[in-house]
């Protein structure tokens, strides 16, 4: 079904391109009457009426019937048909995978998180596909109704070619092809931060903005950019390596092999490393006994202690937040964005993180520039990535991206 006009649109067919514009308007503006839609897409009412009729026949658009108004004739309202198909999002984390499904209208059907450790063993890819298949089966979604699957992966991802250079890099076959062979449906891969950026942009509070920066402060540190309402990829799709900006003079070797990367002082991994160093030095924390017993202390343990007002955790996050805020000040000076959203694992700390970030921004950014920028916490939290994977799969399937 989804190929009914998309192939024609890529070939330059005028009617197919207009149908894409209509669907895009429904995605961005919601349901509307034919009269309002014609104004929004700058087409005549007869032309829009004809195109809407064809989209209804193709299964994309649904007539929701008459809707009440203040007076006069009640217009029919049209919008995306929620039952036209479904899109599945898969967000790979450090030690788990989060999955969600949305309908054609973009509404969340269900979501879940499963423990999962990803590595470059080929059997890991098979296990991941089994997990995705089980998720689809459990939701009783007919396989022919799964129009696409979006998979988020950390590191360097070229979403156009389908290659991941962090996991399962096989020169002969892109990762998308390997996944499609196992899942039996179209697959798109995306860098996890860019997907979270798009999820926050489409489902969060920044949808009306033209320029948005998204900071993914998790185990690593990533940057996603919405410029003029579109995701910025860079030439090869590798933009946003914010964590590897050589800002620090600490001589700490980053996981990328370089020294002094921002990530070594402003990320979840930095907080975890510094916390363990402080415990080794004899600093006291509510996690001290666990450390003395030789038990593993995770980043989530540290954040849980912080939310219980653990002084050591608060002190370390203040330092991490200050370093992050200093780097964000540089972004503000360069981009002059309307909004910067801070998400990822560290965002659960809320004001414990935001206070040192804002203080550093005020200290290091140009006041004339930063007064135009709103700094917000993510409204989706850790769900931004999986929601972005779903909605990106829809946008790419419809040729809107």
């Amino acid at each position: 079904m989804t190929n009914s006009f998309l192939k024609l649109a890529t070939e330059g067919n005028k009617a197919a391109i207009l149908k894409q514009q209509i669907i895009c308007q429904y995605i961005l503006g919601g349901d509307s009457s034919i009269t309002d839609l014609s104004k929004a897409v700058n087409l005549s009412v007869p032309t829009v009426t004809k195109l809407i009729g064809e989209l209804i026949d193709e299964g994309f658009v649904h007539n929701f019937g008459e809707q009440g108004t203040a007076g006069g004739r009640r217009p029919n309202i049209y919008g995306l048909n929620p039952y036209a198909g479904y899109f599945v999002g898969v967000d790979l984390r450090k030690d788990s995978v989060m999955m969600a499904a949305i309908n054609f209208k973009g509404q969340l059907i269900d979501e879940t998180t499963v423990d999962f450790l990803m590595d470059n063993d080929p059997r890991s890819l098979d296990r991941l596909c089994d997990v995705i298949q089980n998720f689809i089966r459990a939701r009783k979604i007919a396989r022919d109704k799964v129009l696409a699957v979006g998979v988020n992966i950390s590191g360097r991802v070229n979403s156009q070619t389908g290659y991941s250079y962090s996991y399962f890099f096989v020169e002969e076959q892109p990762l998308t092809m390997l996944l499609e062979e196992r899942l039996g449906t179209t697959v798109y891969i995306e860098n996890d931060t860019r997907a979270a950026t798009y999820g926050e942009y489409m489902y969060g509070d920044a949808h009306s903005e033209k320029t948005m920066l998204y900071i993914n402060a998790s185990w690593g540190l990533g940057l996603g950019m919405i410029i003029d309402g579109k995701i910025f990829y860079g030439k090869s799709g590798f933009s946003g390596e914010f964590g590897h900006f050589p800002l620090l003079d600490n001589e700490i070797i980053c996981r990328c092999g370089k020294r002094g990367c921002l990530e070594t002082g402003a990320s979840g991994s930095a907080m975890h490393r510094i916390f363990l160093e402080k415990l080794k030095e004899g600093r006291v924390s509510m996690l001290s006994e666990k450390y003395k017993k030789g038990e593993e202390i995770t980043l989530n343990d540290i954040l849980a202690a912080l939310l219980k007002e653990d002084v050591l955790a608060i002190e370390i996050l203040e330092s991490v937040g200050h370093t992050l805020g200093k780097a964000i000040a540089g972004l503000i000076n360069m981009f002059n964005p309307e909004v910067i959203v801070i998400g990822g694992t560290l965002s659960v700390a809320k004001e414990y993180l935001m206070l040192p970030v804002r203080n550093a921004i005020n200290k290091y950014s140009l006041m004339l520039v930063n007064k135009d920028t709103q700094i917000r916490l993510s409204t989706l939290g850790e769900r931004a990535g999986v929601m972005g994977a779903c909605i990106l799969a829809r946008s790419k399937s419809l040729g809107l991206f």
Side-chain angles (χ1 to χ4, degrees), residues 12 89 102 121 152 158 165 167 179 183 196 232 252 294 308 317 380:
I102 62 171
D121 186 328
N152 299 343
N158 189 321
Y165 297 89
Y167 293 97
L179 290 167
L183 296 175
F232 179 75
I252 296 173
K308 294 177 183 176
L317 185 63
L380 296 182

Side-chain angles (χ1 to χ4, degrees), residues 381-401:
E382 293 205 65
R383 296 172 59 244
V386 74
M387 295 306 295
C390 289
I391 207 73
L392 273 171
R394 183 182 70 169
S395 293
K396 290 178 179 180
S397 294
L398 294 173
L400 305 177
F401 221 81

